[in-house]
Amino acid sequence: MDTSYPREDPRAPRKADGAAHTALALGTPRPPPRDHLIWSVFSTLYLNLCCLGFLALAYSIKARDQKVAGDLEAARRLGSRAKCYNILATMWTLVPPLLLLALVVTGALHLSRLAKDSAAFFSTKFDDSDYD
């Protein structure tokens, strides 16, 4: 009975010096997950429509906690949710003012054209013979 340590597999290929080798295929390392914390803080402070910025901040903090704990897959999932809530908060904050601006501009253009047409109507001179 062999009690020597470390135990070697007798079937493993040996080098010329007699030591066994093991090769691991690691692949390309994935980048660390993003938690979008700064964007979430900005969304919470400035773009907090329907509390979407607060939800983004909560998921960002959870993603950072999972990253520190070592659960990278959960950190990626939570970071992705934080990103979605940040995008929603940004869109909900930027789109309505842009639509309102477009409505004001088109309304002003329409009113100016209407005013030109009505000014031409009121500047028409009538003769007394028109009323006979």
Side-chain angles (χ1 to χ4, degrees), residues 23-97:
L24 296 175
L26 296 176
T28 59
R30 294 177 71 181
R34 300 191 59 179
D35 53 15
H36 307 285
L37 187 63
I38 295 178
W39 189 10
S40 298
V41 168
F42 180 77
S43 293
T44 300
L45 294 177
Y46 296 108
L47 309 173
N48 201 12
L49 186 68
C50 298
C51 295
L52 291 174
F54 181 72
L55 286 172
L57 182 64
Y59 279 111
S60 293
I61 292 171
K62 286 182 182 182
R64 181 159 289 190
D65 289 344
Q66 292 298 320
K67 186 168 60 171
V68 169
D71 189 2
L72 297 181
E73 191 57 39
R76 279 189 185 86
R77 184 174 32 86
L78 292 168
S80 175
R81 283 189 186 169
K83 181 180 177 182
C84 289
Y85 281 122
N86 279 323
I87 289 171
L88 284 174
T90 303
M91 288 297 111
W92 273 70
T93 303
L94 294 179
V95 170

Side-chain angles (χ1 to χ4, degrees), residues 9-33:
D9 186 11
R11 296 168 290 179
R14 295 184 181 267
K15 272 180 70 175
D17 62 358
H21 293 279
T22 304
L24 296 175
L26 296 176
T28 59
R30 294 177 71 181

